[in-house]
Amino acid sequence: KQWYQRRVAITAGDVHFEAEEEAAELKKFREARDDEQFPDEMDTPTDIAARIRFQKYRGLKSFRTSGWDPQENLPRDYARISQIKNFRMVRKSLLKQSGSDKPVSAGSHVDVYISDVPLSLKDSNSSSLAIFSLLPHEQRLSVQHVAQARHPLSTVDIKSKEHLLAQVGFRRYVVRPIFSQHTKSNKHKLERFMPVTGNFVASFYAPITLTDSPAMLFKIEEDSTVSLLSTGTLLSCDPDRIVCKRIVLSGHPCKIHKRAAVIRYLFHNREDIAYFKPVQVRTKHGRRGHIKEALGTHGHCKITFDKPIQQSDTVLLPLYKRVFPKWHFEYF
């Protein structure tokens, strides 16, 4: 009887733990599905003013061409890292000075002579030995960016800033990366979840690496094992790379007269309308417009568009904020 009660208690605890874990995975799955179906779209909050809730965000006329100062409002973590101006030129110069620009080809026979080897290494059971050297500045921390592509066998949802294992070259460490689009623009849109298809960039705090190195990301399981998530190569070590988080406030037209329309649900008070008046709005069908004035006290506003809109269209107000990786670094 005691054995039965003990077994029931253990089983109940296991079931409770699995239920909590399953609930967390279900929540993450729903968030990933919503982000895929309605990317960055969210409802304007009613319990707090939008000008306070989104005070760190800004509007951009064009995400591709509008300017953004990379030295503006930097976090305190940036005081701990180093930055190399013109990373590509410095890397090329250092590799040429060290002779690393002409590496030994794979399959070649190399004799390496090492002095002052401790006796403990001879007595160890390890049959392999990793030999490496560091170039100048490679012992310093910076913001590392790696270009990645999802592994075909990996289907788990990975959210930005989760604890992952990064393998860059010969070094391996636990980081909390953020994911962004791999584009040629000076600004890159944040991906809330690791993309399943296409290429993306993972950014995290890590030591500077000057050589062209392969990079892989792994998920750390509860039993301390790892599973491969994505593979790629080192892109750069540049703290000035701008990653922007986008949110989109949505509203719906209730009255339309030629190119003017009365929009509701976009805001909930007159002060928010006056605060976001300089920001350009757009619709899902490609129309662009500007806020003209507030109507009443319940957040209705009058917007003039470049062409007449449809009653079934949705008015969108995109806002952007720069985000940074979560400070976390430890060797694995």
Side-chain angles (χ1 to χ4, degrees):
K1 185 177 181 181
Q2 293 179 356
W3 173 84
Y4 175 77
Q5 292 176 352
R6 182 181 178 183
R7 183 176 181 181
V8 170
I10 294 176
T11 305
D14 293 343
V15 171
H16 180 66
F17 175 77
E18 291 177 358
E20 291 180 353
E21 183 180 357
E22 185 177 356
E25 293 294 332
L26 179 60
K27 181 180 178 181
K28 186 189 297 185
F29 170 75
R30 289 177 176 175
E31 290 178 355
R33 184 181 59 182
D34 293 341
D35 184 69
E36 182 180 359
Q37 295 178 351
F38 308 100
D40 308 321
E41 193 171 332
M42 64 180 305
D43 296 329
T44 306
T46 58
D47 55 343
I48 184 174
R51 63 185 182 279
I52 298 177
R53 171 64 179 82
F54 307 116
Q55 58 185 347
K56 294 183 179 180
Y57 291 80
R58 67 180 70 179
L60 297 177
K61 185 176 182 180
S62 173
F63 181 75
R64 186 177 61 87
T65 60
S66 297
W68 197 305
D69 185 8
Q71 304 296 329
E72 178 185 358
N73 296 331
L74 298 178
R76 291 187 177 183
D77 295 334
Y78 266 48
R80 309 181 187 180
I81 64 176
S82 302
Q83 180 180 8
I84 299 178
K85 290 293 185 180
N86 202 340
F87 178 79
R88 292 184 178 179
M89 182 176 295
V90 173
R91 177 172 63 177
K92 185 177 180 180
S93 176
L94 291 176
L95 291 177
K96 187 175 182 180
Q97 293 176 9
S98 63
S100 300
D101 57 337
K102 298 178 181 179
V104 179
S105 59
S108 302
H109 178 77
V110 179
D111 293 329
V112 180
Y113 298 91
I114 306 175
S115 60
D116 301 330
V117 178
L119 294 177
S120 59
L121 184 62
K122 180 181 179 181
D123 299 333
S124 62
N125 296 326
S126 177
S127 60
S128 60
L129 180 65
I131 303 176
F132 62 88
S133 63
L134 296 180
L135 296 173
H137 312 298
E138 285 196 331
Q139 76 281 7
R140 301 180 179 180
L141 286 178
S142 185
V143 181
Q144 195 172 100
H145 310 284
V146 292
Q148 296 285 288
R150 196 69 178 265
H151 193 270
L153 300 180
S154 175
T155 58
V156 63
D157 295 323
I158 303 296
K159 200 172 184 179
S160 287
K161 300 183 180 181
E162 280 193 23
H163 288 82
L164 299 179
L165 177 63
Q167 173 86 40
V168 181
F170 58 86
R171 289 188 280 200
R172 178 181 293 186
Y173 24 73
V174 180
V175 294
R176 300 182 65 180
I178 58 175
F179 310 119
S180 59
Q181 295 179 349
H182 191 8
T183 60
K184 294 183 179 181
S185 175
N186 61 342
K187 295 180 292 295
H188 312 271
K189 179 180 169 296
L190 174 75
E191 297 285 357
R192 288 179 170 84
F193 292 84
M194 179 183 289
V196 180
T197 59
N199 298 328
F200 63 94
V201 176
S203 305
F204 46 83
Y205 294 105
I208 296 175
T209 302
L210 297 175
T211 56
D212 293 330
S213 305
M216 295 177 288
L217 294 178
F218 299 86
K219 178 179 174 59
I220 305 175
E221 305 292 349
E222 295 181 358
D223 55 354
S224 299
T225 60
V226 295
S227 57
L228 181 61
L229 295 175
S230 60
T231 59
T233 59
L234 174 67
L235 187 63
S236 66
C237 295
D238 184 15
D240 285 345
R241 188 177 189 272
I242 300 176
V243 179
C244 294
K245 178 182 179 181
R246 184 183 71 172
I247 62 167
V248 179
L249 305 180
S250 60
H252 303 276
C254 59
K255 293 182 180 180
I256 300 176
H257 179 68
K258 296 183 178 179
R259 294 192 300 112
V262 178
I263 308 301
R264 60 181 177 179
Y265 305 140
L266 187 61
F267 303 105
H268 299 293
N269 55 71
R270 297 177 63 93
E271 291 77 10
D272 289 344
I273 298 175
Y275 183 84
F276 290 102
K277 189 175 181 180
V279 183
Q280 186 182 56
V281 300
R282 61 180 179 84
T283 69
K284 288 190 174 182
H285 289 101
R287 305 279 74 85
R288 297 183 179 274
H290 293 85
I291 301 175
K292 291 300 181 181
E293 58 181 345
L295 303 176
T297 59
H298 298 287
H300 292 193
C301 59
K302 181 180 179 181
I303 299 180
T304 302
F305 296 91
D306 54 352
K307 292 183 179 180
I309 65 173
Q310 302 177 5
Q311 189 72 37
S312 59
D313 208 345
T314 303
V315 181
L316 306 175
L317 179 71
L319 300 173
Y320 301 90
K321 179 186 72 170
R322 185 179 179 183
V323 294
F324 303 89
K326 196 75 172 179
W327 179 266
H328 185 88
F329 174 79
E330 60 177 326
Y331 283 103
F332 186 79

